[in-house]
Amino acid sequence: LNLWGGSHHVQKEDLNSHNWGVGVRKHIKGCTSGGWSRFAELDIYRNSFYGLGVVAGMGIYHEVTRWGDFKFSLGFMAALAYYTRPKQNDNDRLEKYLFPVPFLPIILIDYKDWGTLNIGMVPNIRKDIVDRGPVAVWGAYFSIQTPFKWF
């Protein structure tokens, strides 16, 4: 179970940074090799434009080190994202966006196989704001292990 929380927009303070939402992550058993683990994920949350955000994708990660009960991993996701941007006034229309996210680096901090803090970095790919640096948004959410076996 994923619990979405917040984001930090690099040099863009006028956007919503409280991205509350939920989702599911399924670890794909039997698909590990060389220490890499795979997963599929589907999330729905309030996006940075105060509209609906939906992300569906797959990812891989690899454990880097352990420190006490904590496990640190690095990986990346490839996803398809859907965003809406609500009307600003009566003359506006609801804007909708569907776009691929081919490379989303992630940091995973796991505690005793109970839960994971996921930190994702959305690269800055817009040509008109290159001077803002390589990162557009940092986002964070928790994945909590559940006793339910849905798949």
Side-chain angles (χ1 to χ4, degrees), residues 38-103:
R38 293 167 178 80
F39 65 91
E41 190 165 298
L42 175 65
D43 301 293
I44 184 168
Y45 55 95
R46 187 172 189 182
N47 67 34
S48 301
F49 300 108
Y50 299 93
L52 173 69
V54 179
V55 174
M58 297 188 74
I60 63 172
Y61 63 92
H62 190 278
E63 182 180 326
V64 176
T65 190
R66 289 180 181 253
W67 185 51
D69 291 330
F70 292 92
K71 179 172 56 174
F72 297 85
S73 303
L74 296 175
F76 70 91
M77 267 184 84
L80 189 62
Y82 172 78
Y83 265 46
T84 64
R85 188 175 196 156
K87 298 191 284 185
Q88 303 298 316
N89 59 54
D90 290 337
N91 296 329
D92 288 344
R93 63 177 176 81
L94 176 69
E95 297 179 37
K96 301 174 186 176
Y97 304 95
L98 180 65
F99 55 94
V101 183
F103 184 74

